[in-house]
């Protein structure tokens, strides 16, 4: 097994975006590199990293894209974390969609900062302060006020009791201004809306925002192109972010 110390600073630069975004398609990773390397040279380096067990890959069955992520050895060598959580084979689709959704929002300029779940878990005392860790934390600066939005991507339906308990945890925490739920179908959306309403009541229900994209696991999703449901009203999600 190779040592990361054998890699020069250029190669390490190629891998750095994965520390934040966790899992990325090949072209997105290349674009995130400051030097915008030549595609063929970049792809050759990435193949070398796979061979040296620094990276693992996953080919999406629908879009044909190759997605890259650190294996446990690679992440430990790059980040210095002794017990990295790593990307689970069971959560690859979920993790790559969270990265894709949040990266697209950040690139739009409507979101000022993004922290993914693995970043939040590594922050000292985050769980004690925030009580619940979302898939991603979005931050918007509106004048002198900073708003914090939790993002939850639900590709599979959770048990109703678990849904209600998590909604209550979000309400107990004073750190989140809104909670955004994204679903693959309207049936799940309606069920979650019902359970959350019964859990937190009408007084707090307007702090929850719901979006559906029925092709979310098949193609790239830009949440700004969708309507959202909030407090029984429907309007473009981009308008919600601008309020």
């Amino acid at each position: 097994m190779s040592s990361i110390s054998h890699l020069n600073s250029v190669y390490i630069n190629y891998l750095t975006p994965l520390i934040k975004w966790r899992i990325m398609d090949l072209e997105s990773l290349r674009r995130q590199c400051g030097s915008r390397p030549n595609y063929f040279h970049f792809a050759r380096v990435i193949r070398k990293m796979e061979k040296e067990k620094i990276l693992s890959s996953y080919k999406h069955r629908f879009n044909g894209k190759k997605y890259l992520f650190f294996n446990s050895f690679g992440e430990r060598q790059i980040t210095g974390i002794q017990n990295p959580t790593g990307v689970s084979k069971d959560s690859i689709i979920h993790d790559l969609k969270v990265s894709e959704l949040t990266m697209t929002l950040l690139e739009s300029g409507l979101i000022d900062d993004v922290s993914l779940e693995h970043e939040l878990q590594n922050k000292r005392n985050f769980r004690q302060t925030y009580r619940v860790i979302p898939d991603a934390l979005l931050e918007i600066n509106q004048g002198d006020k900073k708003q914090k939005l939790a993002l939850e991507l639900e590709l599979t339906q959770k048990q109703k009791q678990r849904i209600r308990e998590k909604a209550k945890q979000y309400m107990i925490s004073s750190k989140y201004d809104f909670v955004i739920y994204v679903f693959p179908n309207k049936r799940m959306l309606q069920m979650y809306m019902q359970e959350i309403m019964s859990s937190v009541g009408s007084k707090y229900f307007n702090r929850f925002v719901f979006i559906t994209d029925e092709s979310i696991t098949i193609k790239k999703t830009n949440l700004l192109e969708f309507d959202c449901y909030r407090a029984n009203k429907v309007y473009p999600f981009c308008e919600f972010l601008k309020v």
Side-chain angles (χ1 to χ4, degrees):
M1 185 173 289
S2 301
S3 170
I4 195 67
S5 62
H6 294 166
L7 303 180
N8 62 37
S9 60
V10 174
Y11 289 4
I12 294 175
N13 175 59
Y14 289 176
L15 302 179
T16 298
L18 281 176
I19 297 174
K20 177 173 183 61
W21 295 110
R22 199 68 162 163
I23 178 169
M24 305 171 71
D25 67 82
L26 184 64
E27 179 58 17
S28 294
L29 178 58
R30 188 182 75 88
R31 292 201 319 267
Q32 289 280 333
C33 296
S35 59
R36 290 290 183 96
N38 172 273
Y39 179 85
F40 294 103
H41 176 264
F42 179 75
R44 186 168 63 250
V45 170
I46 294 302
R47 287 195 297 271
K48 179 180 179 182
M49 295 302 95
E50 291 184 81
K51 185 177 180 180
E52 295 186 356
K53 309 301 182 183
I54 300 297
L55 295 176
S56 296
S57 64
Y58 166 80
K59 188 171 184 179
H60 199 290
R61 60 178 294 192
F62 293 114
N63 64 26
K65 290 183 178 181
K66 179 178 182 177
Y67 289 84
L68 299 154
F69 53 95
F70 289 119
N71 61 30
S72 57
F73 169 74
E75 186 168 3
R76 185 167 60 250
Q77 295 299 313
I78 289 289
T79 66
I81 298 174
Q82 293 303 309
N83 296 298
T85 54
V87 173
S88 167
K89 292 183 179 180
D90 297 330
S91 65
I92 283 179
I93 296 296
H94 176 274
D95 291 350
L96 73 84
K97 292 307 299 188
V98 170
S99 295
E100 176 189 281
L101 292 172
T102 53
M103 194 183 306
T104 302
L105 287 174
L106 189 62
E107 290 173 351
S108 75
L110 294 178
I111 297 294
D112 295 294
D113 193 25
V114 170
S115 298
L116 300 185
E117 181 182 11
H118 70 280
E119 296 179 285
L120 302 176
Q121 288 177 337
N122 291 332
K123 288 186 176 180
R124 185 177 181 182
N125 298 325
F126 185 90
R127 186 178 292 277
Q128 288 85 344
T129 302
Y130 282 72
R131 302 189 69 90
V132 56
I133 297 179
D135 289 327
L137 173 63
L138 314 178
E139 295 188 22
I140 303 176
N141 293 313
Q142 296 180 331
D144 295 332
K145 184 180 180 182
K146 178 179 289 186
Q147 289 197 330
K148 295 181 181 294
L149 295 75
L151 177 70
E152 295 283 358
L153 174 60
E154 300 291 315
L155 296 182
T156 57
Q157 183 175 308
K158 305 297 191 298
Q159 292 184 349
K160 292 182 178 180
Q161 181 62 29
R162 184 178 173 185
I163 296 169
R164 292 193 293 267
E165 289 177 355
K166 194 164 192 177
K168 288 180 180 178
Q169 288 296 311
Y170 273 121
M171 292 304 93
I172 292 173
S173 173
S174 61
K175 299 297 183 179
Y176 299 104
D177 296 286
F178 295 97
V179 185
I180 303 165
Y181 276 95
V182 182
F183 306 99
N185 58 67
K186 290 186 177 179
R187 179 188 58 79
M188 283 181 62
L189 178 146
Q190 292 168 351
M191 190 276 284
Y192 271 70
M193 288 179 69
Q194 180 179 342
E195 293 302 319
I196 291 174
M197 168 67 95
S198 66
S199 177
V200 305
S202 58
K203 180 179 179 181
Y204 298 106
F205 189 60
N206 68 342
R207 290 174 59 185
F208 291 85
V209 179
F210 307 89
I211 303 174
T212 300
D213 175 14
E214 296 189 356
S215 61
I216 192 168
T217 60
I218 299 175
K219 61 182 183 180
K220 184 175 182 178
T221 300
N222 183 350
L223 293 181
L224 300 177
E225 298 175 352
F226 290 85
D227 290 336
C228 65
Y229 296 78
R230 178 179 169 234
N232 298 317
K233 295 181 180 179
V234 183
Y235 50 91
F237 182 60
C238 58
E239 292 186 7
F240 164 75
L241 292 178
K242 294 176 182 178
V243 173

